[in-house]
Amino acid sequence: MYNTEDLMADNYIDTDACDNEMSDNTTSNLQCLMHLLKGNIGTGILAMPVAIYNAGLWTGFAGILLIGAMAVHCMHMLIRCSHILCRRTGSKSLSYADAMETCLKTGPQRLKKFARASRHLVNGLLLFTQLGFCSVYIVFIAENLQQIVQTMTSHDPNLRVYEVVVMVLLIPYTLLRNLRVLAPFSSFANLLTLTGLIIIFQYIVRGLEDSEKLPAFSDLSRLPLFFGTAIFAFEGISLVLPLEHSMRNPQDFGGWTGVLNLGMVFVTCLYTAVGFYGYLRFTDSVKGSITLNIPTDDWLYLSVKLMFAISIYVSYGIQLYVPIRIIWPSLEEKLHRDWQKKHGESLLRVSFVILTAVFAVLIPHLDLLISLIGALASSSLAAILPAFIEFITLSVEKGGVSPVVIAKDVFLFLVGLLGCVTDLPYMGIE
């Protein structure tokens, strides 16, 4: 069994780093919902039609719903375990890495020696995924801006020029430090995304193919591609605990009618609809992003590219929130001068923007790199680690772990591991 006093004495819980924001920086339920939607509706939704193409119409339809349900359940698992561990240690709140470390520190004796390493593992995976997403966002915004400019002028700068421009535009935006200030931007971005999707929907529902002519199941060899795309798209688990911690009323986040379920049910339905009707409209000619299938000679459809570019621009700031939350507290402890503490976080934010832009500019196959990171990190963060945390956390609780929970956690662990392993051959790793 665990010893709370020994745990706190060993300083394994950094309560200052994971406390709720001050009251003037907390978010309302609606603001949190906007952040949740914006953090989950990114470039992944535009790839849903090709995901269903890889699975087959009805297999993909059911698969997105099942993966969505699995992802949301794992989010609830992480929240529940975080609450148990907070009561166990007397902490106000825990981050993902805190939860992983604490469950081992207060778990079985033979696992305690891995507690600190597990924290670094989670933080490393989070940094890989979030900064990887940010690099993808820079490329996505740059490509869309380039396509828009190409319709207006014959002078077409290199894509790298657009990426540098995007980097410069991102720097002042990322200097906004708290979620409450970012909430209006998230609401505006959600409005743009909704408008863009409405325009896309009104285009794709015209001329839908007969569903009976499309395969219900595609090919077993293409299912890993479907799983990789879907689990990548539902990778929002890293934002769950920070969002709950930032709320004015964190008790409203979980539960059957909480902010999390409300937002994720909407996200899952939206993903399923875009994938299902997008595949019905474009069938075998569907491309990696549905925006590549819509016309470029009409300003209405061209505006969709601009809408998504702006929306993803806003998402960059939300995704960057997690790496800052991981790195800055430990750096701040090492700074002693007032000016360093005052300007240090701003310098860190600018450094992250430049770093992700450098990756976007220098790495020739960025999409391949991000797919690899997604296969390794997303499956781990979304399924493997939550199942592991729940099993270890409940194993020292009164009553232990029920056979149903054991079976469920083993299933989630194997699904995540299978998705990771089977995706690697498609990325050139045998």
Side-chain angles (χ1 to χ4, degrees):
M1 295 295 289
Y2 57 89
N3 186 310
T4 302
E5 292 182 359
D6 289 344
L7 176 67
M8 298 303 292
D10 289 344
N11 196 32
Y12 271 86
I13 303 300
D14 185 1
T15 55
D16 290 337
C18 63
D19 279 353
N20 281 353
E21 303 288 343
M22 298 298 290
S23 59
D24 60 337
N25 287 335
T26 55
T27 58
S28 67
N29 291 4
L30 180 59
Q31 289 172 332
C32 182
L33 178 62
M34 292 299 102
H35 286 312
L36 182 66
L37 293 177
K38 194 72 235 76
N40 282 277
I41 302 176
T43 55
I45 191 173
L46 304 176
M48 286 297 101
V50 75
I52 289 189
Y53 163 74
N54 285 320
L57 183 64
W58 295 109
T59 303
F61 178 86
I64 293 176
L65 293 176
L66 289 174
I67 291 176
M70 182 188 75
V72 177
H73 178 68
C74 288
M75 292 176 184
H76 280 286
M77 287 166 50
L78 186 60
I79 293 172
R80 179 192 176 200
C81 290
S82 174
H83 292 169
I84 293 174
L85 295 170
C86 280
R87 291 195 298 269
R88 187 180 293 177
T89 61
S91 300
K92 291 183 180 180
S93 61
L94 298 174
S95 67
Y96 199 152
D98 291 331
M100 183 68 180
E101 181 182 21
T102 307
C103 82
L104 290 177
K105 182 62 179 177
T106 62
Q109 183 66 36
R110 61 182 179 275
L111 296 179
K112 291 183 179 181
K113 61 183 177 181
F114 300 109
R116 178 60 69 175
S118 70
R119 178 186 188 86
H120 296 319
L121 171 64
V122 173
N123 280 335
L125 292 172
L126 289 172
L127 286 173
F128 271 128
T129 54
Q130 300 305 121
L131 294 179
F133 293 160
C134 288
S135 294
V136 171
Y137 288 176
I138 290 178
V139 176
F140 180 87
I141 297 169
E143 288 180 342
N144 279 271
L145 290 179
Q146 185 181 46
Q147 292 177 357
I148 294 171
V149 172
Q150 285 174 345
T151 64
M152 299 185 294
T153 178
S154 58
H155 178 66
D156 183 24
N158 187 276
L159 179 63
R160 303 301 181 244
V161 175
Y162 289 95
E163 290 172 341
V164 173
V165 171
V166 172
M167 178 193 72
V168 174
L169 294 175
L170 281 169
I171 289 177
Y173 171 62
T174 54
L175 293 179
L176 300 176
R177 298 190 179 189
N178 64 68
L179 290 176
R180 182 180 61 84
V181 175
L182 292 178
F185 294 95
S186 288
S187 300
F188 178 64
N190 287 332
L191 179 61
L192 288 178
T193 299
L194 179 60
T195 303
L197 289 175
I198 290 175
I199 295 174
I200 290 176
F201 265 111
Q202 64 85 29
Y203 177 77
I204 64 177
V205 295
R206 294 180 290 177
L208 294 176
E209 183 63 77
D210 187 351
S211 61
E212 295 183 357
K213 296 181 179 180
L214 297 176
F217 176 80
S218 60
D219 189 281
L220 189 62
S221 64
R222 298 216 306 264
L223 281 182
L225 293 175
F226 162 77
F227 180 84
T229 303
I231 199 69
F232 177 88
F234 278 104
E235 179 49 44
I237 195 169
S238 60
L239 295 173
V240 169
L241 292 180
L243 285 176
E244 184 193 33
H245 299 166
S246 71
M247 289 184 68
R248 190 173 302 127
N249 301 301
Q251 69 275 8
D252 294 338
F253 190 71
W256 284 103
T257 58
V259 172
L260 178 60
N261 276 357
L262 176 62
M264 292 308 299
V265 166
F266 178 78
V267 168
T268 302
C269 293
L270 191 61
Y271 274 28
T272 306
V274 171
F276 184 81
Y277 289 108
Y279 179 47
L280 276 180
R281 175 63 174 83
F282 301 114
T283 62
D284 293 347
S285 64
V286 66
K287 298 181 180 180
S289 172
I290 195 173
T291 56
L292 299 177
N293 286 104
I294 62 178
T296 57
D297 56 354
D298 189 312
W299 271 103
L300 176 63
Y301 302 117
L302 192 63
S303 68
V304 172
K305 299 180 183 294
L306 181 60
M307 291 178 190
F308 276 102
I310 296 175
S311 178
I312 296 303
Y313 173 89
V314 173
S315 294
Y316 186 101
I318 306 298
Q319 297 293 350
L320 195 66
Y321 182 79
V322 174
I324 294 296
R325 194 175 174 88
I326 292 173
I327 299 296
W328 175 240
S330 59
L331 286 180
E332 188 178 23
E333 292 177 354
K334 300 176 182 179
L335 301 178
H336 304 291
R337 298 183 179 180
D338 291 339
W339 70 269
Q340 292 176 331
K341 294 184 178 181
K342 181 178 180 181
H343 302 291
E345 184 177 348
S346 296
L347 291 175
L348 179 63
R349 289 173 176 272
V350 173
S351 299
F352 274 148
V353 175
I354 295 174
L355 178 64
T356 54
V358 168
F359 286 156
V361 170
L362 296 182
I363 298 177
H365 301 292
L366 184 62
D367 56 339
L368 189 63
L369 174 64
I370 300 306
S371 296
L372 173 61
I373 294 174
L376 293 174
S378 295
S379 295
S380 299
L381 291 171
I384 296 175
L385 293 184
F388 178 80
I389 290 173
E390 181 179 62
F391 179 80
I392 300 300
T393 299
L394 297 181
S395 66
V396 295
E397 287 290 300
K398 184 178 180 180
V401 190
S402 69
V404 174
V405 173
I406 293 175
K408 180 201 66 175
D409 288 344
V410 170
F411 172 76
L412 291 172
F413 187 93
L414 292 177
V415 168
L417 185 63
L418 182 65
C420 174
V421 173
T422 56
D423 272 338
L424 294 183
Y426 292 93
M427 288 166 254
I429 299 179
E430 302 289 349

